[in-house]
Amino acid sequence: MKITVIEDILKANDAIAADNQKIFESKKLYVINLLSSPGAGKTTLLERTIETLHPGYRIGVIEGDIQTTLDAERISKFGIPVVQINTQGGCHLEANMIKKALDNLDLNSMDLLIIENIGNLVCPSNFKLGEVDKVTILSVPEGEEKPLKYPAMFRESTALIINKIDLISFTNFNITNAIKYSLSINPSLKIFEISCTTREGLDRWINWLKARVENYRSGIA
Amino acid sequence: MKITVIEDILKANDAIAADNQKIFESKKLYVINLLSSPGAGKTTLLERTIETLHPGYRIGVIEGDIQTTLDAERISKFGIPVVQINTQGGCHLEANMIKKALDNLDLNSMDLLIIENIGNLVCPSNFKLGEVDKVTILSVPEGEEKPLKYPAMFRESTALIINKIDLISFTNFNITNAIKYSLSINPSLKIFEISCTTREGLDRWINWLKARVENYRSGIA
């Protein structure tokens, strides 16, 4: 009974996600669904990415939070379009929330839309939003075994960012194991080792992202 | 419609949680529901707590994980009773899972039962398990504003552990703000600042925990 209800909810969500996807495709707009535990560094990665790419690339952001507009305030400082979604307790974004948010965004003047999901390593993986790629962040203090313990998110992502590598020497985090575990869940995962604090490794992420935007626009991705 | 379904699920859960609670009360067994984001240090706090209190206090553990028995393996090294629950994708423990787990635990030879929930700062707060106290861990790398962004968990907890304080000087975490934000959500929250790595602050947590066990046993708590 309960499972049927959840399946119905997921099916309804997938239908709206497919509609969103068609809209994005028609605009040749590359869209990322950005995922992680709370505090792994989604908003900080967004800040580093925007300050590097803006205004050469026209970026829009949808900020998902349970409460507060703290993250949207951080992003709006860059003078780019931002829409805040507050789920009021909800543990993940759903496609219909994105659909409504699109009313407040001019997709025609955008090369890249990043949707920052709720900080939650479990539930958001079940709900497609219409994105081209899921990108998951694993932060060093969370521990190397997280891909084994929370596999769904890692399985469905195109790219994994291992963030806060500046903290490795203060923890028992073994990055070789983290990469090995992640690839055991998803062998095609593109992995970036970065620190948003020291900016180490950010170049590779930015170059990959630029290539994804360009390839998607030209129909290759 | 969807809300009704969720309310029904919560109501059914609460009824089973009340049954669990009666069982615990009849044994004068103090039970904690231990909550946090993935990787905030729940299992490591358990290890530090067990190695300090065992065997003076007889401790049992229920380990909640989506997949793997990694955490139960870490705890079973102490030679105490451990039951692993694998939710197979589920984002939180529910009271019926605990009820089943109790079949495999001898509650008569136990002073303290700790239930380690799924690493998730959102969903577990909705599902009572029959515990006496919810204890939430916030780790320093997650950031000081998390109580504002994920208030439910902090609102419902008796105690908050701010863990990984050894990492404060390598981050922009302001502990005064973290405490201020937490108390703004829940003014009666008991807050402990600790590092499971350096063991700083563990004494206060252990002393509080001992007092809770004793007071509950003698009917004060």
Short mmCIF file of all heavy atoms in Angstrom, two decimals, chain B residues 168-211:
data_model
loop_
_atom_site.label_atom_id
_atom_site.label_comp_id
_atom_site.label_asym_id
_atom_site.label_seq_id
_atom_site.Cartn_x
_atom_site.Cartn_y
_atom_site.Cartn_z
N ILE B 168 37.81 23.59 14.01
CA ILE B 168 37.31 24.98 13.95
C ILE B 168 38.32 25.93 13.32
O ILE B 168 37.98 26.74 12.46
CB ILE B 168 36.91 25.48 15.36
CG1 ILE B 168 35.58 24.84 15.78
CG2 ILE B 168 36.77 27.00 15.39
CD1 ILE B 168 35.06 25.30 17.14
N SER B 169 39.59 25.79 13.70
CA SER B 169 40.58 26.78 13.23
C SER B 169 40.88 26.62 11.74
O SER B 169 41.51 27.50 11.14
CB SER B 169 41.86 26.67 14.05
OG SER B 169 42.33 25.35 14.05
N PHE B 170 40.43 25.52 11.12
CA PHE B 170 40.67 25.33 9.68
C PHE B 170 39.43 25.68 8.85
O PHE B 170 39.39 25.43 7.65
CB PHE B 170 41.08 23.88 9.40
CG PHE B 170 42.20 23.42 10.28
CD1 PHE B 170 42.01 22.42 11.22
CD2 PHE B 170 43.46 24.00 10.17
CE1 PHE B 170 43.04 22.00 12.05
CE2 PHE B 170 44.50 23.59 11.00
CZ PHE B 170 44.29 22.59 11.94
N THR B 171 38.39 26.20 9.53
CA THR B 171 37.15 26.54 8.82
C THR B 171 36.72 27.95 9.23
O THR B 171 37.39 28.57 10.06
CB THR B 171 36.01 25.56 9.22
OG1 THR B 171 35.68 25.79 10.60
CG2 THR B 171 36.42 24.12 9.04
N ASN B 172 35.62 28.43 8.67
CA ASN B 172 35.09 29.74 9.10
C ASN B 172 33.92 29.58 10.07
O ASN B 172 33.07 30.46 10.19
CB ASN B 172 34.69 30.59 7.88
CG ASN B 172 33.66 29.88 7.01
OD1 ASN B 172 33.18 28.80 7.37
ND2 ASN B 172 33.31 30.48 5.89
N PHE B 173 33.90 28.43 10.77
CA PHE B 173 32.82 28.12 11.71
C PHE B 173 32.92 28.99 12.95
O PHE B 173 33.94 29.02 13.62
CB PHE B 173 32.93 26.64 12.11
CG PHE B 173 31.79 26.12 12.95
CD1 PHE B 173 30.66 25.60 12.34
CD2 PHE B 173 31.86 26.10 14.33
CE1 PHE B 173 29.61 25.08 13.10
CE2 PHE B 173 30.82 25.59 15.11
CZ PHE B 173 29.70 25.08 14.48
N ASN B 174 31.84 29.71 13.26
CA ASN B 174 31.80 30.56 14.45
C ASN B 174 30.91 29.87 15.49
O ASN B 174 29.69 29.81 15.34
CB ASN B 174 31.23 31.93 14.05
CG ASN B 174 31.19 32.90 15.22
OD1 ASN B 174 30.91 32.50 16.36
ND2 ASN B 174 31.46 34.16 14.96
N ILE B 175 31.54 29.33 16.53
CA ILE B 175 30.79 28.49 17.48
C ILE B 175 29.80 29.32 18.29
O ILE B 175 28.73 28.82 18.68
CB ILE B 175 31.74 27.67 18.37
CG1 ILE B 175 30.98 26.50 19.00
CG2 ILE B 175 32.40 28.53 19.43
CD1 ILE B 175 31.83 25.32 19.38
N THR B 176 30.12 30.59 18.54
CA THR B 176 29.16 31.46 19.25
C THR B 176 27.87 31.59 18.44
O THR B 176 26.77 31.49 18.99
CB THR B 176 29.79 32.86 19.46
OG1 THR B 176 31.07 32.68 20.08
CG2 THR B 176 28.92 33.71 20.36
N ASN B 177 28.02 31.78 17.13
CA ASN B 177 26.83 31.84 16.28
C ASN B 177 26.08 30.51 16.26
O ASN B 177 24.85 30.47 16.31
CB ASN B 177 27.21 32.21 14.84
CG ASN B 177 27.54 33.68 14.70
OD1 ASN B 177 27.22 34.47 15.59
ND2 ASN B 177 28.18 34.04 13.61
N ALA B 178 26.83 29.40 16.15
CA ALA B 178 26.19 28.08 16.10
C ALA B 178 25.32 27.87 17.34
O ALA B 178 24.19 27.38 17.24
CB ALA B 178 27.25 26.98 15.99
N ILE B 179 25.84 28.24 18.50
CA ILE B 179 25.09 28.07 19.74
C ILE B 179 23.90 29.03 19.76
O ILE B 179 22.78 28.65 20.12
CB ILE B 179 26.03 28.31 20.95
CG1 ILE B 179 27.07 27.20 21.02
CG2 ILE B 179 25.23 28.40 22.25
CD1 ILE B 179 28.21 27.44 22.00
N LYS B 180 24.13 30.26 19.34
CA LYS B 180 23.05 31.26 19.32
C LYS B 180 21.91 30.80 18.40
O LYS B 180 20.73 30.86 18.79
CB LYS B 180 23.62 32.61 18.84
CG LYS B 180 22.65 33.76 18.90
CD LYS B 180 23.33 35.08 18.47
CE LYS B 180 23.57 35.11 16.97
NZ LYS B 180 24.27 36.33 16.53
N TYR B 181 22.25 30.34 17.22
CA TYR B 181 21.22 29.88 16.27
C TYR B 181 20.48 28.66 16.83
O TYR B 181 19.26 28.56 16.71
CB TYR B 181 21.84 29.51 14.92
CG TYR B 181 22.52 30.65 14.20
CD1 TYR B 181 23.59 30.41 13.33
CD2 TYR B 181 22.11 31.98 14.37
CE1 TYR B 181 24.22 31.45 12.65
CE2 TYR B 181 22.74 33.03 13.70
CZ TYR B 181 23.80 32.75 12.84
OH TYR B 181 24.42 33.78 12.18
N SER B 182 21.21 27.74 17.45
CA SER B 182 20.58 26.53 17.99
C SER B 182 19.59 26.89 19.10
O SER B 182 18.47 26.37 19.14
CB SER B 182 21.65 25.58 18.54
OG SER B 182 22.55 25.20 17.52
N LEU B 183 20.01 27.79 19.99
CA LEU B 183 19.14 28.17 21.10
C LEU B 183 17.95 29.02 20.63
O LEU B 183 16.90 29.02 21.26
CB LEU B 183 19.94 28.92 22.17
CG LEU B 183 20.98 28.07 22.92
CD1 LEU B 183 21.80 28.95 23.86
CD2 LEU B 183 20.33 26.92 23.68
N SER B 184 18.12 29.69 19.48
CA SER B 184 16.98 30.46 18.95
C SER B 184 15.89 29.51 18.45
O SER B 184 14.71 29.85 18.45
CB SER B 184 17.44 31.38 17.81
OG SER B 184 17.64 30.66 16.61
N ILE B 185 16.28 28.32 18.05
CA ILE B 185 15.31 27.29 17.60
C ILE B 185 14.75 26.54 18.81
O ILE B 185 13.58 26.20 18.86
CB ILE B 185 16.00 26.28 16.64
CG1 ILE B 185 16.60 26.97 15.41
CG2 ILE B 185 15.05 25.15 16.25
CD1 ILE B 185 15.58 27.60 14.51
N ASN B 186 15.63 26.27 19.79
CA ASN B 186 15.24 25.45 20.95
C ASN B 186 15.99 25.94 22.19
O ASN B 186 17.11 25.50 22.47
CB ASN B 186 15.57 23.98 20.66
CG ASN B 186 15.23 23.07 21.82
OD1 ASN B 186 14.86 23.53 22.90
ND2 ASN B 186 15.36 21.78 21.60
N PRO B 187 15.38 26.87 22.94
CA PRO B 187 16.07 27.51 24.08
C PRO B 187 16.48 26.53 25.18
O PRO B 187 17.37 26.85 25.97
CB PRO B 187 15.02 28.49 24.61
CG PRO B 187 14.06 28.71 23.49
CD PRO B 187 14.03 27.42 22.73
N SER B 188 15.86 25.35 25.25
CA SER B 188 16.20 24.44 26.34
C SER B 188 17.22 23.37 25.92
O SER B 188 17.49 22.43 26.66
CB SER B 188 14.93 23.76 26.87
OG SER B 188 14.36 22.95 25.87
N LEU B 189 17.76 23.52 24.74
CA LEU B 189 18.72 22.55 24.22
C LEU B 189 19.99 22.52 25.09
O LEU B 189 20.57 23.57 25.40
CB LEU B 189 19.10 22.97 22.79
CG LEU B 189 19.67 22.00 21.79
CD1 LEU B 189 18.81 20.75 21.63
CD2 LEU B 189 19.80 22.70 20.42
N LYS B 190 20.40 21.34 25.50
CA LYS B 190 21.66 21.16 26.23
C LYS B 190 22.76 20.99 25.19
O LYS B 190 22.68 20.07 24.37
CB LYS B 190 21.53 19.92 27.12
CG LYS B 190 22.72 19.65 27.98
CD LYS B 190 22.72 20.50 29.22
CE LYS B 190 24.02 20.33 29.99
NZ LYS B 190 24.19 21.38 31.00
N ILE B 191 23.77 21.84 25.23
CA ILE B 191 24.76 21.83 24.15
C ILE B 191 26.14 21.40 24.65
O ILE B 191 26.62 21.89 25.68
CB ILE B 191 24.86 23.22 23.48
CG1 ILE B 191 23.48 23.61 22.90
CG2 ILE B 191 25.92 23.23 22.38
CD1 ILE B 191 23.43 24.98 22.25
N PHE B 192 26.76 20.47 23.94
CA PHE B 192 28.11 19.99 24.26
C PHE B 192 29.04 20.28 23.08
O PHE B 192 28.70 19.96 21.95
CB PHE B 192 28.08 18.48 24.54
CG PHE B 192 27.17 18.11 25.67
CD1 PHE B 192 25.86 17.72 25.42
CD2 PHE B 192 27.60 18.19 26.98
CE1 PHE B 192 25.00 17.40 26.45
CE2 PHE B 192 26.75 17.87 28.03
CZ PHE B 192 25.45 17.48 27.77
N GLU B 193 30.19 20.84 23.38
CA GLU B 193 31.19 21.10 22.34
C GLU B 193 32.28 20.05 22.50
O GLU B 193 32.98 20.04 23.51
CB GLU B 193 31.79 22.50 22.51
CG GLU B 193 30.73 23.60 22.54
CD GLU B 193 31.27 24.93 23.07
OE1 GLU B 193 32.47 25.22 22.88
OE2 GLU B 193 30.49 25.65 23.70
N ILE B 194 32.43 19.17 21.51
CA ILE B 194 33.38 18.07 21.69
C ILE B 194 34.19 17.78 20.43
O ILE B 194 33.84 18.21 19.32
CB ILE B 194 32.68 16.77 22.15
CG1 ILE B 194 31.90 16.12 21.01
CG2 ILE B 194 31.75 17.00 23.32
CD1 ILE B 194 31.42 14.73 21.37
N SER B 195 35.25 17.05 20.61
CA SER B 195 36.00 16.46 19.50
C SER B 195 36.20 14.99 19.82
O SER B 195 36.85 14.66 20.82
CB SER B 195 37.36 17.13 19.32
OG SER B 195 38.18 16.30 18.52
N CYS B 196 35.65 14.13 19.01
CA CYS B 196 35.86 12.69 19.21
C CYS B 196 37.28 12.28 18.84
O CYS B 196 37.74 11.21 19.20
CB CYS B 196 34.85 11.89 18.38
SG CYS B 196 33.18 11.94 19.08
N THR B 197 37.98 13.15 18.11
CA THR B 197 39.37 12.87 17.74
C THR B 197 40.32 13.18 18.89
O THR B 197 41.10 12.34 19.32
CB THR B 197 39.76 13.69 16.49
OG1 THR B 197 38.85 13.37 15.44
CG2 THR B 197 41.18 13.37 16.03
N THR B 198 40.23 14.41 19.44
CA THR B 198 41.14 14.79 20.53
C THR B 198 40.55 14.45 21.90
O THR B 198 41.21 14.57 22.91
CB THR B 198 41.40 16.31 20.51
OG1 THR B 198 40.16 16.99 20.83
CG2 THR B 198 41.89 16.78 19.15
N ARG B 199 39.29 14.08 21.93
CA ARG B 199 38.52 13.76 23.15
C ARG B 199 38.20 14.99 24.00
O ARG B 199 37.65 14.87 25.09
CB ARG B 199 39.26 12.71 24.02
CG ARG B 199 39.32 11.37 23.32
CD ARG B 199 40.28 10.39 24.00
NE ARG B 199 40.47 9.22 23.15
CZ ARG B 199 39.75 8.12 23.23
NH1 ARG B 199 38.81 8.01 24.13
NH2 ARG B 199 39.98 7.11 22.40
N GLU B 200 38.49 16.18 23.48
CA GLU B 200 38.14 17.40 24.20
C GLU B 200 36.62 17.47 24.40
O GLU B 200 35.85 17.23 23.47
CB GLU B 200 38.62 18.62 23.40
CG GLU B 200 38.49 19.93 24.17
CD GLU B 200 38.89 21.15 23.32
OE1 GLU B 200 39.56 20.96 22.28
OE2 GLU B 200 38.50 22.27 23.70
N GLY B 201 36.21 17.77 25.63
CA GLY B 201 34.79 17.98 25.92
C GLY B 201 33.97 16.72 26.11
O GLY B 201 32.78 16.80 26.45
N LEU B 202 34.56 15.54 25.91
CA LEU B 202 33.80 14.29 26.02
C LEU B 202 33.28 14.07 27.45
O LEU B 202 32.19 13.53 27.63
CB LEU B 202 34.65 13.10 25.58
CG LEU B 202 34.54 12.67 24.12
CD1 LEU B 202 35.55 11.58 23.81
CD2 LEU B 202 33.12 12.21 23.78
N ASP B 203 34.08 14.49 28.45
CA ASP B 203 33.70 14.28 29.86
C ASP B 203 32.32 14.83 30.18
O ASP B 203 31.51 14.17 30.83
CB ASP B 203 34.71 14.96 30.80
CG ASP B 203 35.97 14.12 30.93
OD1 ASP B 203 36.03 13.06 30.27
OD2 ASP B 203 36.88 14.54 31.67
N ARG B 204 32.07 16.06 29.72
CA ARG B 204 30.77 16.70 30.03
C ARG B 204 29.62 15.90 29.44
O ARG B 204 28.58 15.71 30.07
CB ARG B 204 30.73 18.13 29.49
CG ARG B 204 31.36 19.16 30.43
CD ARG B 204 31.07 20.58 29.93
NE ARG B 204 29.66 20.94 29.99
CZ ARG B 204 28.95 21.45 28.97
NH1 ARG B 204 29.52 21.67 27.80
NH2 ARG B 204 27.67 21.73 29.13
N TRP B 205 29.80 15.43 28.20
CA TRP B 205 28.77 14.61 27.55
C TRP B 205 28.53 13.32 28.33
O TRP B 205 27.39 12.96 28.63
CB TRP B 205 29.18 14.32 26.10
CG TRP B 205 28.60 13.08 25.50
CD1 TRP B 205 29.28 11.93 25.18
CD2 TRP B 205 27.23 12.83 25.17
NE1 TRP B 205 28.42 11.00 24.66
CE2 TRP B 205 27.14 11.51 24.64
CE3 TRP B 205 26.06 13.59 25.25
CZ2 TRP B 205 25.96 10.94 24.20
CZ3 TRP B 205 24.86 13.02 24.83
CH2 TRP B 205 24.82 11.71 24.31
N ILE B 206 29.61 12.66 28.70
CA ILE B 206 29.51 11.39 29.42
C ILE B 206 28.83 11.58 30.77
O ILE B 206 27.96 10.80 31.16
CB ILE B 206 30.93 10.76 29.60
CG1 ILE B 206 31.52 10.37 28.24
CG2 ILE B 206 30.88 9.57 30.56
CD1 ILE B 206 30.85 9.20 27.54
N ASN B 207 29.19 12.64 31.46
CA ASN B 207 28.58 12.90 32.78
C ASN B 207 27.09 13.19 32.66
O ASN B 207 26.29 12.73 33.47
CB ASN B 207 29.31 14.05 33.48
CG ASN B 207 30.69 13.63 33.94
OD1 ASN B 207 30.95 12.44 34.13
ND2 ASN B 207 31.59 14.59 34.08
N TRP B 208 26.73 13.95 31.63
CA TRP B 208 25.31 14.25 31.40
C TRP B 208 24.55 12.96 31.10
O TRP B 208 23.48 12.71 31.63
CB TRP B 208 25.18 15.24 30.24
CG TRP B 208 23.76 15.59 29.90
CD1 TRP B 208 22.99 16.55 30.51
CD2 TRP B 208 22.94 15.00 28.88
NE1 TRP B 208 21.75 16.59 29.92
CE2 TRP B 208 21.68 15.65 28.93
CE3 TRP B 208 23.14 14.00 27.93
CZ2 TRP B 208 20.63 15.33 28.05
CZ3 TRP B 208 22.10 13.67 27.07
CH2 TRP B 208 20.86 14.32 27.14
N LEU B 209 25.16 12.12 30.25
CA LEU B 209 24.52 10.87 29.83
C LEU B 209 24.32 9.94 31.04
O LEU B 209 23.23 9.37 31.23
CB LEU B 209 25.39 10.20 28.76
CG LEU B 209 24.87 8.93 28.10
CD1 LEU B 209 23.51 9.18 27.44
CD2 LEU B 209 25.88 8.43 27.06
N LYS B 210 25.35 9.82 31.88
CA LYS B 210 25.24 9.00 33.10
C LYS B 210 24.08 9.50 33.96
O LYS B 210 23.28 8.71 34.47
CB LYS B 210 26.54 9.09 33.92
CG LYS B 210 27.68 8.24 33.43
CD LYS B 210 28.85 8.45 34.40
CE LYS B 210 30.08 7.70 34.02
NZ LYS B 210 31.20 8.03 34.94
N ALA B 211 24.01 10.82 34.12
CA ALA B 211 22.95 11.39 34.96
C ALA B 211 21.58 11.10 34.37
O ALA B 211 20.63 10.80 35.10
CB ALA B 211 23.17 12.91 35.12
#
